[in-house]
Amino acid sequence: MPKGKLPKRYNSIVMPLILSLLMTSVVSAISIVRAQGLTAPALAMWPSAWALSWAIAFPVLLLMLPVVKRVTAVIVEM
């Protein structure tokens, strides 16, 4: 194992972690700006909106990833 890298078995946690961080940051920013406009109060509200959405999205991704993998295998030739 190269120095500084996690073992391969952590892939099923690290991938959804990174995906949920990126997706919730973008989606929460779009939602806040759309609802409030690009204002200082809206930007100040974004971190708490992002944190709440991430706290929900990460466990959902961990639970749903096996289901999504199976559905994808049915749809896509491997």
Side-chain angles (χ1 to χ4, degrees), residues 27-74:
V27 171
S28 62
I30 291 169
S31 296
I32 292 264
V33 169
R34 183 169 164 93
Q36 303 288 323
L38 193 54
T39 63
L43 295 177
M45 195 183 308
W46 175 77
S48 63
W50 167 78
L52 176 61
S53 64
W54 179 80
I56 294 166
F58 182 54
V60 169
L61 269 172
L62 289 175
L63 292 171
M64 295 306 297
L65 193 57
V67 174
V68 171
K69 285 181 178 179
R70 283 194 295 271
V71 170
T72 302
V74 169

Side-chain angles (χ1 to χ4, degrees), residues 8-17 58 62 65 69:
K8 188 175 183 175
R9 70 179 178 267
Y10 291 106
N11 184 58
S12 63
I13 295 172
V14 173
M15 192 276 299
L17 173 67
F58 182 54
L62 289 175
L65 193 57
K69 285 181 178 179

